[in-house]
Amino acid sequence: MEKATDFIDRFSHVPLLVGNQWTDSGSRGTTPVYNPSRGQVIAHTPCGIADDVDRAVRAAKEAFPSWAAVPAPKRADILFRYRELLAQHMEHIAWMITLENGKTIEEARGDIRRGFEVVEFACGIAHLTKGENLGQLASEMDGLTMREPLGVCVGISPFNFPAMVAMWMFPLAIACGNTFVLKPSEKVPLTALYLADLLVQADLPAGVFNVVHGGREVVEALCVHPDVAAISFVGSSEIALRVYQLGTSRGKRVQAGGGAKNVHVVMPDADFDSAVRAVVGAAFGCAGQRCMAGSTLMIPNGTGSAFLQKLKVAVDQLTVGDTTGQLDVQMGPVIDGPARDRISDTIEHAVGQGAKAMRDGRTYQDTDGFFLRPTLLDEVSPDMEVFHREVFGPVLSIVHTTTLDESIRLANKLPFGNGATIYTRNGGAARKFAREMKCGMIGVNVGVPAPMSIFPFSGWNQSFYGDLHLQGTEGILFYTRQKVLLSRWDTNYERINGW
């Protein structure tokens, strides 16, 4: 932790990175950065202005021609150096995530490990961007394709995964030959600065990677800037749609990940002990603050009381506390006071609509940190607001259904489409669930079916706006465009042109 606290001391007044130089924002306003476990302010993020964006985009634009001309294997050399620096600093980065986000240290390690895997994937860029070719496409003619970078790309990342989500974006973008401007959440800027500092140490040329900070003004300035070619975003569905509309209306490529309401169905034949562990981890891991959180549990007839009894016992055994001082806690705080209050209001409203609070997380008393205990809301029905709304906190809604068919039908009414999981020993039920659920990521006895770096993070419906998803080969396609080359080799061409 000492390295992380030293870094905070260095960057307590959060700077921008423009052209490999740390510089101040033109804004005088700031947003506090908290240690959520203790409610202490540890840094101040500048609110940011459009001029900050223009400086960063200009630096990226100036760096683009020379960076795009660097051969792919040479770009990979820099990413390999970056990978080694990440490996050396991984524990320090994990502590940084814990300090500014509130995750447990093991959750923070998972956050940076998943980002690290994307860097490893991007190191294979020379292979990943190879084109196709066909000799003798026509008489005396060959055809081939090439993938080329777009230009200046932008990443706008959320607070809940300070390392992983940003690293879904920039390693692939710069590996493909683009330059990049990152706007991390103003609530967790320090992890992004740590990642940026290591890129500078890896000898990434000036201007290839830049960092700006701020809220709505900065986001919208990035979305409408005429020199930005592509935008990657992860956040709420409301803002994802706004980013998508702003960017695409100006001819930019956009991939915008939004919110979710992920359903877990426990069938009567499931291994209840294994399913309980998976459901608890999915619902309350990262304090429920993730777009793959298993926030809705559907239990068809036959699952009922036996499973719920095991679930209540498991929830009661979860330890909640200061993640920066107690290494053995299993759940930390939510990000800040407004988030805690919003989640508490959601619980109150659900109970007012008829839900039964089997376990009420509002009973947790803490005068400093932003804590809630896990909440179990039983007898939730589709006409309740909590059934449809993303809570983004440690709240699990329990819906009683009659059959698997009814569970699928109700789940498919939800507006989102990230993930869904079924717990069963029956292959036919699993196949039916996988084929009929209208979402992009399916788990069979897997609590959080979030794909690794070689596959796309494949949200549907209001969980994603765009065509090409983050990560994997879709990420490569998003950050490049294709050129087709036709070559004619007949001797008449030489004679006609006087050779």
Side-chain angles (χ1 to χ4, degrees), residues 1-320:
M1 184 187 289
E2 291 79 8
K3 182 80 173 181
T5 53
D6 289 347
F7 194 88
I8 290 173
D9 290 340
R10 178 184 168 195
F11 288 123
S12 59
H13 289 280
V14 175
L16 285 62
L17 180 67
V18 178
N20 281 12
Q21 299 295 315
W22 300 110
T23 182
D24 291 332
S25 168
S27 169
R28 295 185 178 181
T30 61
T31 299
V33 180
Y34 290 96
N35 171 349
S37 284
R38 301 183 180 181
Q40 299 169 340
V41 176
I42 59 175
H44 293 85
T45 307
C47 293
I49 56 175
D51 183 64
D52 296 343
V53 170
D54 196 57
R55 282 192 288 149
V57 172
R58 191 183 318 122
K61 182 182 179 181
E62 290 172 356
F64 173 68
S66 57
W67 179 244
V70 173
K74 296 297 183 182
R75 297 198 296 266
D77 286 345
I78 293 176
L79 286 168
F80 273 113
R81 288 201 293 272
Y82 187 53
R83 178 199 177 279
E84 292 308 304
L85 288 168
L86 287 170
Q88 295 168 23
H89 290 257
M90 193 168 290
E91 191 69 4
H92 303 311
I93 300 169
W95 273 114
M96 182 68 72
I97 294 167
T98 292
L99 283 167
E100 69 174 350
N101 173 276
K103 292 177 189 281
T104 68
I105 186 61
E106 191 52 45
E107 289 169 344
R109 288 168 181 152
D111 188 335
I112 182 59
R113 278 197 299 264
R114 281 300 186 99
F116 183 81
E117 290 165 3
V118 179
V119 174
E120 291 189 314
F121 178 66
C123 285
I125 194 63
H127 172 73
L128 294 168
T129 51
K130 288 191 301 186
E132 301 172 309
N133 71 81
L134 178 61
Q136 201 67 358
L137 173 66
S139 179
E140 305 292 342
M141 184 177 288
D142 300 337
L144 62 88
T145 65
M146 298 178 288
R147 302 212 68 87
E148 297 189 349
L150 306 175
V152 179
C153 298
V154 163
I156 303 166
S157 60
F159 75 82
N160 59 326
F161 282 88
M164 181 189 75
V165 174
M167 296 173 81
W168 281 351
M169 304 170 182
F170 71 79
L172 292 183
I174 63 177
C176 289
N178 302 286
T179 54
F180 203 85
V181 179
L182 176 66
K183 205 286 306 176
S185 167
E186 61 274 20
K187 297 179 182 182
V188 292
L190 297 167
T191 300
L193 296 188
Y194 208 131
L195 298 175
D197 197 42
L198 295 182
L199 275 173
V200 174
Q201 292 181 41
D203 296 325
L204 188 71
V208 174
F209 182 78
N210 308 271
V211 182
V212 296
H213 304 283
R216 179 171 180 169
E217 179 182 353
V218 170
V219 169
E220 296 199 350
L222 288 165
C223 290
V224 303
H225 198 290
D227 292 327
V228 168
I231 304 162
S232 301
F233 172 89
V234 173
S236 71
S237 291
E238 179 183 6
I239 301 177
L241 178 59
R242 174 67 173 162
V243 167
Y244 180 76
Q245 291 172 334
L246 282 175
T248 55
S249 67
R250 289 161 176 81
K252 307 180 191 304
R253 285 192 181 183
V254 181
Q255 48 181 194
K261 194 73 176 176
N262 306 304
V263 171
H264 288 229
V265 178
V266 179
M267 299 299 291
D269 69 321
D271 178 334
F272 282 4
D273 290 334
S274 177
V276 162
R277 289 192 296 270
V279 168
V280 169
F284 305 118
C286 300
Q289 298 174 122
R290 52 187 178 189
C291 62
M292 289 298 288
S295 55
T296 301
L297 172 64
M298 292 189 179
I299 47 176
N301 287 347
T303 302
S305 59
F307 181 81
L308 290 182
Q309 184 57 40
K310 288 179 178 288
L311 179 64
K312 287 186 286 186
V313 170
V315 167
D316 289 342
Q317 292 174 345
L318 276 178
T319 56
V320 180

Side-chain angles (χ1 to χ4, degrees), residues 116 341 437 479:
F116 183 81
D341 296 343
M437 279 300 304
Y479 288 121

